[in-house]
Amino acid sequence: MTQGAGAPPTVTRRPEERSRPDSPRRLHGAWPLAALAAVFTVAQLALVRPVLGLGWDEIVYTSQVTTHHPAAFFSAPRSRGVSFLVAPVASWSDSTALLRVYLAVLSGLGLFLALRVWRGLFPTRVLVVAGAFFASLWVTLFYGPQAMPNYWVAIGALVAVGAYLRHRDDPAARGPLWAVVAGAALMAWMRPTDAVWVALPLLVLAAVGRRPRFLAATVGGLLAGGVPWVIEAYVAFGGLSERLAEASRIQGGLGLHMAVDDQLRSLGGRALCRPCTGSMPHPVITLWWFVLPLLAVLGLVVAVRAGRALRTAVPLACAVTAAVPYLFTIQYAAPRFLQPAYALLAIPVADALWHLVTAPRGKWRPAVRTVVALGLAGHLVVQLTVLVHTVDRSTAGREDWARTADGLHRLGVDPPCLITGHESIPIGYYTGCSSGATAGNNENITVAGILRTAKDTPVAEITRTGSLPPRYARSWPVHRVEDYDIRIAPGSVDAPRG
């Protein structure tokens, strides 16, 4: 068969060569990826800092497995994957710093293993640049050491897609099939619906190409990770359709919605953009978002000309399907939602960047290299600036919860206790109390249940200063703590401490 222009020569290896352990040269080639993962880990610890308190969603996931705090309400869209991920530390220690270090190291290891799957499909230099691009995004650095699912969906996507391409090159090898199972299971373990969206192109390719072993591996991985979520749907939500309907309701009603502008607004460092109002970030902050798909398309053009289109087209297709639900089916945004798409796009983007700095000849080469270098330097400055701003704002918010918890303790609200009202989940966690809501997405108790609890347990209702409390708490004594009005059920606590 005639080779495409620039395509590498086809080399057929004997079966015994395929099963031979990695040669010293191949092992040496993994060191740049290991170094990248180490830098990524250190950057998380230096820039995000282990002392950053737990955020709202982290509290929900972590409280499911810790013995130091009551479990927060676990809503329909969530999956237990993150809770199991943090269990090795959170189950016996309440140290947030230790948890952050553990997750940072784990995320660095995950990046290394995911990129290693792609070795042989692209040169190491391309993989290093791809990993560096993904790892340097503020959203990756910020969420890498956090107990959140989206980064791990991205790692699972990289593993599954890379393993598919390796399996296609060597159908007899079993390793890639097991990697497909692992990648698909990791995605489904963290977010089952995201896993299905990412895997759609792989399932189509397996069906069209009549690859039953790969199809079985992909479906098996999705089931291995997703079955616990389905079982929980029947145990706790009345069935799968009921859980999906409840998840849709909590997310504002899934349907055809344009959320592209919401994602753009969130790029300025908004962890959750709901409702997503206000002005757009400065164009310098969002420029990379528009350049990213252009570079990815250039990477595809380069791959087509080199006769290796599939290696670029598959991650591109999976990136598109991963992004579709968060760009066109929900009415709000969070930058972390698109992490799987960014991770998959990083491969063709890195390939395009290397093409730009190596392909031009003559007088154009220095000019192109200068433009690329300046662009990458500016991009890094923007990402780090947004990261610092996001970390500072998040730290301030979580310190506010901690100060409010201290104020509640001074008022005599000590565990076991119940917090209801505004931000009851995070404030309840920081206080060591259970949290309750009589309405909304986290509804888990009735008014009668609150009043019954208040007979023998400290109960505090929290509202923003000046806001009207619910009817059942209007007669309770009110105290001012930070920016909150704290109403404590009469007779439920001892005298406040000075």
Side-chain angles (χ1 to χ4, degrees):
M1 181 176 179
T2 304
Q3 295 285 340
T10 300
V11 178
T12 303
R13 295 185 293 167
R14 295 189 301 274
E16 62 270 20
E17 289 180 307
R18 294 186 184 125
S19 60
R20 183 182 303 165
D22 283 347
S23 65
R25 182 178 179 181
R26 287 181 60 82
L27 290 174
H28 176 74
W31 278 110
L33 301 180
L36 169 67
V39 171
F40 174 51
T41 299
V42 172
Q44 293 175 67
L45 298 175
L47 297 172
V48 181
R49 300 189 297 274
V51 295
L52 176 67
L54 295 182
W56 187 314
D57 292 285
E58 290 186 287
I59 286 169
V60 174
Y61 290 121
T62 303
S63 67
Q64 307 304 310
V65 294
T66 182
T67 59
H68 304 89
H69 300 270
F73 177 72
F74 203 81
S75 60
R78 302 185 187 276
S79 183
R80 301 281 175 175
V82 174
S83 298
F84 293 135
L85 187 73
V86 302
V89 170
S91 61
W92 60 271
S93 173
D94 63 350
S95 170
T96 300
L98 180 61
L99 183 62
R100 292 273 183 247
V101 172
Y102 163 74
L103 289 172
V105 172
L106 202 62
S107 62
L109 178 62
L111 181 64
F112 168 73
L113 294 176
L115 291 174
R116 201 169 190 276
V117 172
W118 288 78
R119 291 193 62 219
L121 298 170
F122 287 88
T124 300
R125 63 181 187 179
V126 171
L127 300 180
V128 170
V129 171
F133 168 77
F134 177 60
S136 64
L137 294 177
W138 75 261
V139 66
T140 307
L141 285 164
F142 184 65
Y143 286 107
Q146 296 199 46
M148 299 292 280
N150 309 88
Y151 173 82
W152 295 103
V153 176
I155 293 300
L158 279 175
V159 170
V161 175
Y164 162 74
L165 294 170
R166 291 182 70 94
H167 168 70
R168 191 177 184 280
D169 286 351
D170 190 359
R174 294 185 178 181
L177 284 178
W178 284 112
V180 169
V181 174
L186 178 60
M187 289 191 294
W189 196 34
M190 294 296 168
R191 292 186 73 90
T193 51
D194 285 17
V196 173
W197 279 101
V198 172
L200 272 178
L202 301 181
L203 295 171
V204 171
L205 287 170
V208 172
R210 298 180 180 180
R211 296 178 177 270
R213 294 176 65 200
F214 175 77
L215 184 61
T218 307
V219 174
L222 293 175
L223 289 176
V227 162
W229 193 83
V230 175
I231 292 174
E232 187 180 42
Y234 286 94
V235 172
F237 296 93
L240 181 58
S241 60
E242 287 80 2
R243 183 169 195 173
L244 291 171
E246 177 66 4
S248 175
R249 183 194 68 79
I250 288 174
Q251 295 176 92
L254 300 180
L256 186 60
H257 305 290
M258 175 63 72
V260 175
D261 55 335
D262 293 341
Q263 283 292 342
L264 282 170
R265 287 187 177 90
S266 73
L267 292 179
R270 300 176 65 175
L272 181 64
C273 198
R274 185 180 187 182
C276 207
T277 56
S279 59
M280 289 285 183
H282 192 281
V284 171
I285 294 176
T286 59
L287 178 62
W288 71 272
W289 210 72
F290 295 99
V291 174
L292 185 64
L294 297 179
L295 287 173
V297 171
L298 175 60
L300 180 60
V301 172
V302 171
V304 170
R305 290 180 177 178
R308 47 178 173 81
L310 196 66
R311 294 183 182 183
T312 298
V314 173
L316 266 177
C318 291
V320 170
T321 57
V324 162
Y326 293 115
L327 294 178
F328 303 110
T329 69
I330 62 176
Q331 302 181 64
Y332 65 99
R336 59 186 172 86
F337 290 163
L338 295 182
Q339 279 187 282
Y342 298 150
L344 292 167
L345 287 175
I347 302 291
V349 164
D351 200 24
L353 289 173
W354 273 110
H355 174 78
L356 287 174
V357 300
T358 59
R361 296 183 178 180
K363 63 180 181 179
W364 287 107
R365 176 172 289 185
V368 172
R369 288 182 172 180
T370 300
V371 170
V372 171
L374 290 175
L376 291 176
H379 173 71
L380 185 61
V381 169
V382 167
Q383 296 302 313
L384 293 180
T385 300
V386 176
L387 176 66
V388 170
H389 167 72
T390 304
V391 170
D392 290 344
R393 185 167 60 183
S394 299
T395 300
R398 296 169 196 191
E399 288 177 346
D400 180 61
W401 291 335
R403 287 191 299 269
T404 303
D406 290 339
L408 284 163
H409 289 317
R410 289 193 298 271
L411 292 172
V413 180
D414 294 309
C417 44
L418 174 65
I419 305 297
T420 63
H422 182 70
E423 297 189 327
S424 61
I425 287 180
I427 294 176
Y429 181 88
Y430 278 80
T431 311
C433 304
S434 299
S435 55
T438 59
N441 295 337
N442 298 302
E443 179 181 351
N444 64 341
I445 196 171
T446 63
V447 171
I450 293 174
L451 297 178
R452 187 166 52 249
T453 300
K455 292 179 180 179
D456 55 14
T457 303
V459 175
E461 167 71 29
I462 301 177
T463 58
R464 282 288 188 185
T465 300
S467 298
L468 186 67
R471 186 180 300 274
Y472 65 82
R474 291 178 187 174
S475 62
W476 294 359
V478 60
H479 309 268
R480 176 74 178 271
V481 176
E482 298 296 320
D483 293 327
Y484 304 107
D485 285 338
I486 309 292
R487 290 174 171 82
I488 300 177
S492 66
V493 300
D494 298 327
R497 296 186 291 270

